[in-house]
Amino acid sequence: MASSLLSITSLSSSPSASVSTEDSFRGRLKLHSSSLSFTKEKINIFSNGKSSGRVSMVVAVNTSRFEGVPMAPADPILGVSEAFKADTNDLKLNLGVGAYRTEELHPYVLEVVKKAENLMLERGENKEYLPIEGLAAFNKATAELLFGADNPVIKEQRVATVQGLSGTGSLRLAAALIERYFPGAKVLISAPTWGNHKNIFNDARVPWSEYRYYDPKTVGLDFEGMIADIEAAPEGSFVLLHGCAHNPTGIDPTPEQWEKIADVIQEKNLIPFFDVAYQGFASGSLDADASSVRLFAARGMEVLIAQSYSKNLGLYSERIGAMNVVCSSADAAARVKSQLKRIARPMYSNPPIHGARIVANVVGDPTLFNEWKAEMEMMAGRIKNVRQKLYDSLSSKDKSGKDWSFVLKQIGMFSFTGLNKAQSDNMTDKWHVYMTKDGRISLAGLSLAKCEYLADAIIDSYHNVN
């Protein structure tokens, strides 16, 4: 292994010093592996007053064993925020990361969250380790929120629920379960999908393929292509579905289309796997946003559902979510839960308690629960207003006759603009609008006051950049 020696020699300034400490206290630095040599007068690092002595240090500088580790590319979503921070232009807009902002574009902590945290302080609750499966009160509340407290799958104890590290961690638990107990099974993922889905299944060594979803010609759902690709999937495959507010397109199937999707999955003996990241935040209704999941459960199908509370309660950094598996029997659910716990143990041992208590307090208290629903309606309403204003601005400013109505047909915090990579680059380079390169923008980072500016940027990029 290549190395170099760095030697430092220091001499005392005492006139009566022996040969080893003679001369004044001086240091000479030599890097023997190169021709560089430095001399520094009167370096007195270790001596104080009249103390004397000679100090010699040799440090080996070795070539790193990690020289073969390449630099990883920047995350395509989180990297947008880093670029945004470096931009000094006053007009800049960060429409990359999906995090709710106020009309003033400030982060928002829900009032109901503050109240729930105050309750925790008043009770003087401790910070002891949770069980591997998480906080029992949270697990009960989150499953009931997803399915409805009176749902047969809840009453018959057919749901295996474990608290996960938000949506990402919950999806990762499920991926490990698939890899271990369904070896070789493929997961079908929509094209496009949330950028981290592929990373999660790759990391768990679960094979995946894509099914058609987005139609660039209509900036809408390619329903026929979606159905055809699901029908062609091998028996036993998992089909990853977005419960509501599809990320990144904002395009959801209609209730009638959901019925058809359920028909095909059931007929082909496939396994539905839902990612529910926006319950209550998409439409403002907890029940409406869970209707797709409840449809599949009502048909007696075994279903996997990952949940997240990052968006609907604004608990982004608390990493609070859950993995639910609906099974055909209570016995099967108990066995699945035991294996999810077994997978979680070597990954992270047990989940964090703070966010779980917030959710349990909010959902478990009727007053706080109603306040939460009102705040969600407010947040969803602000995004709907911004979406409407953006459409109005695009329609009034663009004289080409282009139909921008697809903006209004989308739902949730994201909008697929239909812009390609070059056009998205123009949005950033010329207009200081930061977004992902697939043309997705987060309306949560947009204010009513900025809609006209954004419309100008979109129109210019769409018409003037190929």
Side-chain angles (χ1 to χ4, degrees):
M1 179 179 294
S3 65
S4 59
L5 295 179
L6 181 67
S7 69
I8 302 175
T9 303
S10 301
L11 300 176
S12 169
S13 59
S14 170
S16 59
S18 63
V19 173
S20 62
T21 58
E22 63 187 356
D23 302 325
S24 62
F25 191 75
R26 296 173 181 170
R28 186 172 60 182
L29 177 65
K30 288 184 179 179
L31 188 62
H32 292 285
S33 62
S34 70
S35 61
L36 294 176
S37 178
F38 304 93
T39 300
K40 178 78 174 177
E41 298 294 336
K42 296 184 179 179
I43 299 179
N44 192 350
I45 303 174
F46 300 102
S47 64
N48 187 6
K50 296 182 179 181
S51 62
S52 64
R54 176 168 179 150
V55 179
S56 180
M57 293 193 302
V58 178
V59 181
V61 181
N62 298 321
T63 301
S64 173
R65 295 180 184 271
F66 301 99
E67 286 296 324
V69 178
M71 180 66 71
D75 185 274
I77 296 177
L78 300 182
V80 173
S81 291
E82 295 303 314
F84 171 80
K85 291 176 183 177
D87 192 334
T88 58
N89 192 285
D90 292 338
L91 296 174
K92 66 180 182 178
L93 273 174
N94 186 0
L95 306 183
V97 177
Y100 182 79
R101 295 289 183 263
T102 64
E103 179 62 22
E104 294 73 35
L105 302 183
H106 297 153
Y108 177 65
V109 179
L110 276 70
E111 291 300 320
V112 73
V113 168
K114 296 177 184 177
K115 291 181 180 180
E117 289 181 316
N118 285 334
L119 277 177
M120 292 158 60
L121 290 174
E122 290 170 6
R123 294 169 183 167
E125 294 171 317
N126 61 48
K127 302 292 185 181
E128 290 291 306
Y129 289 123
L130 284 176
I132 299 172
E133 67 265 34
L135 185 69
F138 166 78
N139 288 344
K140 180 178 185 296
T142 197
E144 291 180 354
L145 197 70
L146 182 61
F147 299 103
D150 296 328
N151 196 302
V153 299
I154 297 290
K155 291 187 172 183
E156 296 165 10
Q157 299 182 328
R158 292 194 288 114
V159 184
T161 301
V162 297
Q163 181 185 333
L165 304 182
S166 199
T168 300
S170 301
L171 287 162
R172 184 62 179 79
L173 280 179
L177 184 74
I178 292 170
E179 191 275 335
R180 187 169 297 184
Y181 294 102
F182 301 85
K186 181 183 291 187
V187 176
L188 276 70
I189 301 173
S190 68
T193 192
W194 176 48
N196 215 16
H197 279 150
K198 295 176 182 178
N199 297 333
I200 290 167
F201 293 109
N202 283 339
D203 193 57
R205 295 179 173 82
V206 174
W208 55 267
S209 63
E210 295 180 307
Y211 60 85
R212 283 169 282 179
Y213 193 87
Y214 173 67
D215 183 353
K217 295 179 181 178
T218 63
V219 195
L221 178 64
D222 181 0
F223 185 65
E224 289 73 20
M226 177 184 186
I227 292 298
D229 290 345
I230 293 175
E231 284 181 329
E235 182 176 336
S237 297
F238 291 78
V239 183
L240 186 63
L241 303 162
H242 299 227
C244 61
H246 182 274
N247 180 2
T249 68
I251 302 163
D252 284 357
T254 65
E256 295 75 23
Q257 289 171 331
W258 274 121
E259 292 279 0
K260 177 63 175 175
I261 294 168
D263 287 341
V264 173
I265 288 177
Q266 200 163 19
E267 290 166 4
K268 299 295 293 185
N269 198 25
L270 308 176
I271 305 169
F273 183 174
F274 281 91
D275 184 356
V276 178
Y278 305 96
Q279 186 183 356
F281 189 78
S283 69
S285 167
L286 288 164
D287 292 330
D289 292 345
S291 60
S292 59
V293 173
R294 295 177 186 180
L295 166 67
F296 282 70
R299 290 182 173 220
M301 303 171 72
E302 293 186 305
V303 191
L304 283 69
I305 312 100
Q307 289 172 283
S308 168
Y309 288 90
S310 293
K311 307 300 190 297
N312 56 11
L313 264 170
L315 300 177
Y316 305 99
S317 63
E318 298 294 350
R319 312 316 294 148
I320 176 65
M323 187 63 221
N324 306 267
V325 183
V326 179
C327 302
S328 59
S329 68
D331 177 65
R335 285 184 279 111
V336 168
K337 184 172 182 177
S338 74
Q339 292 299 335
L340 287 171
K341 290 166 60 178
R342 185 182 180 188
I343 292 167
R345 175 60 171 157
M347 275 191 184
Y348 55 84
S349 280
N350 53 291
I353 196 169
H354 191 80
R357 279 182 173 155
I358 292 173
V359 176
N361 286 343
V362 170
V363 178
D365 182 291
T367 300
L368 292 181
F369 185 62
N370 287 330
E371 290 183 20
W372 177 39
K373 289 194 290 185
E375 282 197 85
M376 273 192 295
E377 289 177 7
M378 178 273 294
M379 292 189 293
R382 193 189 89 73
I383 292 176
K384 289 177 183 177
N385 290 340
V386 167
R387 186 181 290 280
Q388 180 68 54
K389 180 63 181 295
L390 177 60
Y391 165 74
D392 292 342
S393 299
L394 287 167
S395 299
S396 64
K397 287 174 173 287
D398 186 6
K399 306 304 181 183
S400 70
K402 177 176 172 55
D403 182 7
W404 295 97
S405 62
F406 64 83
V407 173
L408 296 180
K409 296 175 183 176
Q410 299 166 353
I411 189 173
M413 66 161 51
F414 296 115
S415 176
F416 227 43
T417 60
L419 299 179
N420 60 32
K421 183 182 182 302
Q423 293 164 339
S424 298
D425 286 339
N426 185 67
M427 294 281 287
T428 301
D429 298 340
K430 179 178 178 179
W431 294 89
H432 305 275
V433 175
Y434 290 82
M435 54 192 288
T436 53
K437 301 306 180 184
D438 57 5
R440 187 199 78 170
I441 58 173
S442 172
L443 296 180
L446 180 64
S447 65
L448 291 172
K450 294 282 189 176
C451 282
E452 291 196 3
Y453 177 77
L454 179 60
D456 287 335
I458 292 174
I459 292 168
D460 171 63
S461 301
Y462 179 79
H463 289 297
N464 298 323
V465 179
N466 295 324

